[in-house]
Amino acid sequence: MTTIAVLADPPREGFVLPELAESSPLSESEVTELYAEMLKDTFVAAAKSGGDLLVNYRPDDAIPDEFGSETGSEDELRKLAEEALADVPLDEDEEVRFEVQVGETFAGRAGNTATHLLREEDVDSVAIVDGTAPTLTRKDLDSAAMKLRRSEIVLGPAEDGRAYFVGLKDTIDFTDAYATPELETLTEKGVDAGHEVDFLPTMTSVRTGEDLRSLVPLLNARIAAGRIVPVNTATYLHELGLRVEEANGKREIVR
């Protein structure tokens, strides 16, 4: 069984996905809501999968003062998870875990989480995701778990050489493991450790306006075709009325 660790930040304006607000028509408040909706869809996918959901949250003392809140980081994410999973049937012994992140960098926090789970809790495998790839489904997570039976490392490629999913059956050296381009760096780390590396299908991880420009037509097309979509993310983007049009030889997101 795979433990799916979602490394999540509390959805606060200006703190989450700042590059998306700078490179898209979305305001900071809209970006914050979109991040929250993508997290919800990630929680749902993980909870419905055959793995265990672990929400790995950023502690309050690791958040800059200008993004502070009277509501603690853990409480914000617990509320978000409750909203997301309200209609998801869970087994009686199934419980969403919340644990604090430890580390100065994303690579450090991911590495500490994976190493702790693999070595201290002796789990079979660990998946690290950040909640920005809303089209990740239960089926994808279960497929990754099957791949992890044959390979020690399974990676999910995203645009621009990033990785939306890092699955591990054994540890690697996480020092600078997310250095650009993350997909190549993580692969090299796995190979250097003597591990077999496999891959999931490419998906959009939304961090920039360009990423959003890729996601919007996909969701709109799947809605028109009556196919499965990440409900929370798709509903919110539909409410915003976003679509992609070509103007002056360039594709742009418009409302």
Side-chain angles (χ1 to χ4, degrees), residues 26 30 33-34 37-38 41 134 212 215-225 229-244 253-255:
L26 273 60
E30 290 169 337
E33 182 61 29
L34 175 59
E37 301 304 328
M38 292 193 296
D41 286 321
L212 187 62
L215 180 66
V216 167
L218 173 62
L219 296 186
N220 287 346
R222 292 189 69 85
I223 290 171
V229 294
V231 173
N232 297 288
T233 302
T235 299
Y236 184 63
L237 290 176
H238 182 71
E239 290 173 356
L240 292 177
L242 299 181
R243 65 183 187 278
V244 173
I253 300 175
V254 299
R255 294 182 187 269

Side-chain angles (χ1 to χ4, degrees), residues 62-212:
I63 299 173
D65 292 341
E66 60 265 35
F67 304 117
S69 171
E70 292 183 359
T71 305
S73 174
E74 180 181 359
D75 291 337
E76 287 183 60
L77 290 166
R78 279 186 178 276
K79 181 179 179 182
L80 201 66
E82 288 175 4
E83 293 174 359
L85 304 178
D87 297 323
V88 177
L90 301 176
D91 295 335
E92 290 184 6
D93 59 347
E94 190 174 1
E95 183 178 343
V96 180
R97 295 172 55 189
F98 290 80
E99 292 187 0
V100 68
Q101 296 177 15
V102 178
E104 298 296 323
T105 65
F106 185 85
R109 295 190 288 273
N112 287 331
T113 296
T115 301
H116 170 76
L117 290 168
L118 289 168
R119 292 183 177 175
E120 303 300 324
E121 298 194 15
D122 199 29
V123 302
D124 295 329
S125 56
V126 175
I128 302 293
V129 297
D130 66 4
T132 62
T135 56
L136 182 66
T137 66
R138 171 202 59 78
K139 182 179 178 181
D140 298 314
L141 292 172
D142 289 342
S143 173
M146 293 295 292
K147 286 177 177 288
L148 282 166
R149 294 183 180 182
R150 301 183 296 271
S151 303
E152 289 87 357
I153 308 294
V154 173
L155 303 175
E159 287 90 348
D160 208 25
R162 299 195 301 270
Y164 66 85
F165 178 98
V166 179
L168 307 102
K169 195 165 59 179
D170 200 353
T171 57
I172 60 173
D173 177 10
F174 269 91
T175 305
D176 299 323
Y178 284 82
T180 303
E182 296 91 324
L183 188 66
E184 286 187 33
T185 306
L186 287 160
T187 300
E188 290 169 359
K189 293 280 188 179
V191 172
D192 288 346
H195 298 327
E196 290 285 337
V197 181
D198 202 350
F199 301 91
L200 294 175
T202 300
M203 292 185 191
T204 298
S205 173
V206 181
R207 291 193 166 276
T208 69
E210 187 174 352
D211 300 330
L212 187 62

